[in-house]
């Protein structure tokens, strides 16, 4: 599909769902991989074994992206092991859904700290390394709800909309150094996040999706790999919508 031999890619939240499919797809194209995770070490180890089966070098790094200190430690390990970073995919994210009148301040803060501040933390450190090399690819995982909103997700939608502003602003800051910054906005994708939805909710969204089906993690991973490749070298500050026509 796209040639990524010799590239080093970090994907946050990469032991399940879209993150897992992304590291697999990047590895298939020849990229060496850093799998970041925070929970479920067993799934992380399984992800590592799967990625290595494609003949690339790969490591696991457990780190909470909402912690700047842990992000710094993660990048120190990356520098020690690989000596560089070429591609960063900010995929880690959580949900704490509720109507605003019932949502706790703590649940709002937790989602913002992981989904938005966590991306800022990773970007802040990664750009320093990329600027020195005068090249790099950053892909941030937004969401369709950041554009259309969704009842019960004022916290989540806020973070995903915020990532668009972050993406556009950072693209303007680092473009002169040959670093591209883009976002992918998945629609409703078959994943752990959508597994918790009732069948009636899933059917409702299917009826409103022109293609009539929920997306699959590989649909998102392929868009990420395109943005990470040299074929997308003149694309920056943009959002690729992968939602089956929902919006």
């Amino acid at each position: 599909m796209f040639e990524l031999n010799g590239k080093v890619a970090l994907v946050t939240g990469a032991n399940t769902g879209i993150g897992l499919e992304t590291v697999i797809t990047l590895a298939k194209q020849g990229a060496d991989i850093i799998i970041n995770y925070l929970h479920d070490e067993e799934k992380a180890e399984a992800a590592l074994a799967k990625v290595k089966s494609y003949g690339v070098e790969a490591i696991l790094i457990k780190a909470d992206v909402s912690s700047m200190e842990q992000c710094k430690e993660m990048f120190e390990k990356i520098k020690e092991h690989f000596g560089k970073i070429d591609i960063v995919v900010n995929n880690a994210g959580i949900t704490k859904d509720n109507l605003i009148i019932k949502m706790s301040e703590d649940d709002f803060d937790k989602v913002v700290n992981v989904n938005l501040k966590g991306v800022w933390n990773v970007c802040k450190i990664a750009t320093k390394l990329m600027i020195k090399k005068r090249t790099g690819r950053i892909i941030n995982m937004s969401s369709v709800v950041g554009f259309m909103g969704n009842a019960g997700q004022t916290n989540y939608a806020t973070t995903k909309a915020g990532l668009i502003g972050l993406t556009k602003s950072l693209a303007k800051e680092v473009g002169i150094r040959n670093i591209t910054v883009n976002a992918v906005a998945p629609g409703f994708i078959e994943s752990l996040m959508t597994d918790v939805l009732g069948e009636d909710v899933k059917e409702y969204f299917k009826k409103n999706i022109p293609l009539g089906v929920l997306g699959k993690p590989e649909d998102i991973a392929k868009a990420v790999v395109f943005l990470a490749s040299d074929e997308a070298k003149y694309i920056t500050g943009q959002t690729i919508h992968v939602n089956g026509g929902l919006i």
Side-chain angles (χ1 to χ4, degrees), residues 112-181:
V112 171
N113 285 339
V114 174
N115 297 9
L116 188 53
K117 183 176 181 291
V119 175
W120 187 86
N121 287 345
V122 172
C123 286
K124 182 176 176 63
I125 304 170
T127 51
K128 290 181 180 179
L129 300 178
M130 291 177 174
I131 284 170
K132 290 179 181 178
K133 290 176 66 267
R134 298 185 69 86
T135 185
R137 300 281 185 271
I138 296 174
I139 300 105
N140 299 323
M141 201 63 68
S142 182
S143 169
V144 67
V145 303
F147 292 84
M148 62 182 283
N150 196 31
Q153 289 194 312
T154 53
N155 51 3
Y156 185 78
T158 294
T159 64
K160 295 305 181 177
L163 285 180
I164 302 306
L166 187 157
T167 297
K168 289 178 178 293
S169 299
L170 184 56
K172 291 179 182 294
E173 291 185 16
V174 299
I176 195 67
R177 297 291 185 175
N178 195 35
I179 300 166
T180 65
V181 188

Side-chain angles (χ1 to χ4, degrees), residues 1-9 22-33 56 84 86-87 89 137 139 221-222 224-232:
M1 187 165 56
F2 299 109
E3 180 63 58
L4 294 175
N5 287 334
K7 303 294 186 181
V8 176
T22 298
V23 290
I24 290 171
T25 307
L26 287 166
K28 286 180 179 178
Q29 305 312 309
D32 294 325
I33 303 294
V56 301
K84 65 171 185 171
D86 299 296
I87 301 160
V89 183
R137 300 281 185 271
I139 300 105
K222 289 173 182 177
V224 169
V225 170
F226 166 65
L227 290 173
S229 72
D230 285 343
E231 280 75 4

Side-chain angles (χ1 to χ4, degrees), residues 93-95 97 115 156 189-197:
I94 63 171
T95 57
D97 296 350
N115 297 9
Y156 185 78
I189 307 299
E190 294 177 1
S191 66
L192 292 176
M193 285 188 179
T194 55
D195 285 346
V196 301
L197 300 175

